[in-house]
Amino acid sequence: MLSQVLSQIEQRDRFVLTSHARPDGDAVGSSLGFSQILRSMGKQAEVVLRDGVPRIYHSLPYADKVVKAERVNGNYQAAIILECDSIQRTRLQGLEDRFLINIDHHASARPFAHVNWIDPKAVATAEMIYRLAREAGVQISAEIATCLYTAVLTDTGSFMFAGTNEHTFELARELVLAGADPARCARNIYFGHSTAKMRLLGAALSKLQREGPLGWISVSQEQMERCQAREEDCEGLVNYALSIHDVEVAAFFRELPDGRFRVSLRSKGGYDVAAIAQRFGGGGHRCASGCSLDGPLSAAAAAIRTELGIENC
Ligand code: 5GP
């Protein structure tokens, strides 16, 4: 609960904040926003992310201070894990023996820490961080507002996903009043793609597969190399398959160096893709989730089809 999180924070001075590997906008924005909020409360706070900050979020305030590392070293009194359902998913060493605070809004969130604040009704973890700042009496600076607004913008799919409601726009309004610039935030994210990402998108879409309500695309290691694409260039590609008028559920398969596949699942609401990802050890939300599957691609796609109850047409 929020009150427990605040009381644990009050008792300590030095914090490390982190989130899941391959961080998305909510992971980065919430970590950066929360670290500034802690500093406003007179605490020391450092953000450590296994994969660092993806390029489209580089212009966020204090993004350049994020430590990219495989291990958390340091005399921290607590580790705050945001938007992440386990220590394992941070892919960081050195968290096991620390006092852990877990703040998450996923439907598949788990109470793995000493203190757990989980609210699946929040559209983004950033919404919870904003609530915490208000409760703690912290003044929301333009820098904090920019980080939290970016997190809300991306995790609601630009205010398009189910769950977006009047409170989301109230939150956005308050963040804009505090100094977030919507046009600038949107520009960095939606007009900040790499050339490699666009080339990869072209390669993926040229092999688009349709099976009833399912639309799916994939990229191989060889295509990634040919396009000189990085992992982060795959973020959001699944949405292009979902954007087709009669696609109700979409999947994106990325081949990993070991031959397995990372899968991103998206739904327009009719299919619960969190439940499907959880069956394969992953997780997420009803309309957006992810998991890993064994190859080859045909077997991975068949496994998803079977769980969806979709015949191979
Ligand atoms: P994406 O497809 O963009 O990687 O992830 C979509 C959503 O599912 C995000 O909210 C992300 O945090 C969650 N997600 C993706 N992969 C996993 C996973 O392996 N485990 C869990 N628990 N959540 C995941």
Side-chain angles (χ1 to χ4, degrees):
M1 285 166 65
L2 170 54
S3 57
Q4 286 174 314
V5 172
L6 273 179
S7 120
Q8 294 298 337
I9 288 173
E10 273 155 22
Q11 295 168 39
R12 293 171 170 79
D13 290 316
R14 294 182 306 281
F15 297 87
V16 61
L17 293 99
T18 190
S19 186
H20 52 83
R22 299 186 305 110
D24 57 13
D26 196 18
V28 175
S30 291
S31 304
L32 290 175
F34 199 5
S35 64
Q36 295 168 65
I37 289 163
L38 286 168
R39 283 181 217 119
S40 302
M41 294 167 78
K43 315 286 182 185
Q44 288 175 28
E46 188 158 44
V47 179
V48 178
L49 293 172
R50 162 72 191 225
D51 295 320
V53 177
R55 208 176 56 91
I56 55 172
Y57 304 118
H58 275 186
S59 62
L60 285 179
Y62 299 98
D64 56 332
K65 301 284 184 290
V66 171
V67 176
K68 180 179 175 187
E70 293 179 11
R71 167 170 279 280
V72 173
N73 294 309
N75 184 19
Y76 306 109
Q77 293 163 310
I80 302 179
I81 304 185
L82 299 164
E83 139 94 16
C84 183
D85 69 349
S86 60
I87 292 182
Q88 292 70 29
R89 219 176 148 231
T90 66
R91 291 185 51 221
L92 287 171
Q93 312 277 313
L95 288 172
E96 303 77 17
D97 300 326
R98 296 181 188 271
F99 186 85
L100 300 177
I101 299 175
N102 161 28
I103 303 178
D104 194 1
H105 78 120
H106 285 98
S108 59
R110 284 181 285 186
F112 65 88
H114 299 97
V115 175
N116 299 278
W117 177 28
I118 294 169
D119 181 0
K121 288 214 180 77
V123 288
T125 298
E127 178 181 332
M128 301 168 74
I129 303 306
Y130 180 75
R131 251 187 267 155
L132 180 146
R134 295 299 301 267
E135 190 73 21
V138 170
Q139 169 96 25
I140 304 292
S141 65
E143 286 84 7
I144 295 172
T146 299
C147 295
L148 298 185
Y149 180 90
T150 298
V152 172
L153 177 69
T154 53
D155 238 37
T156 58
S158 315
F159 304 101
M160 286 190 293
F161 290 162
T164 305
N165 58 30
E166 70 273 26
H167 303 297
T168 320
F169 289 102
E170 184 63 27
L171 170 64
R173 176 179 183 273
E174 287 176 28
L175 293 171
V176 171
L177 285 173
D181 179 338
R184 239 179 99 197
C185 292
R187 185 195 157 104
N188 289 334
I189 293 159
Y190 302 109
F191 302 98
H193 296 314
S194 65
T195 303
K197 177 170 183 159
M198 290 297 109
R199 294 208 166 109
L200 194 65
L201 172 65
L205 282 180
S206 70
K207 297 262 171 65
L208 170 75
Q209 306 284 323
R210 286 300 315 270
E211 276 136 0
L214 172 67
W216 63 272
I217 52 178
S218 63
V219 296
S220 64
Q221 277 288 309
E222 192 264 323
Q223 285 171 317
M224 295 272 295
E225 278 158 32
R226 193 154 25 89
C227 297
Q228 297 184 319
R230 296 190 280 184
E231 257 182 48
E232 66 188 61
D233 292 319
C234 295
E235 189 171 334
L237 298 192
V238 64
N239 294 325
Y240 290 90
L242 191 70
S243 70
I244 300 166
H245 75 104
D246 59 348
V247 164
E248 287 301 323
V249 59
F252 169 72
F253 298 84
R254 174 168 64 87
E255 189 185 25
L256 300 172
D258 66 2
R260 280 171 63 78
F261 284 84
R262 266 305 301 172
V263 188
S264 285
L265 297 168
R266 298 291 185 272
S267 153
K268 285 181 181 157
Y271 290 87
D272 180 355
V273 291
I276 291 166
Q278 276 177 289
R279 256 171 250 148
F280 297 114
H285 307 283
R286 182 180 176 85
C287 293
S289 69
C291 59
S292 298
L293 288 176
D294 285 337
L297 178 61
S298 55
I304 295 294
R305 259 195 321 265
T306 303
E307 289 302 328
L308 288 167
I310 294 171
E311 295 300 315
N312 190 358
C313 314

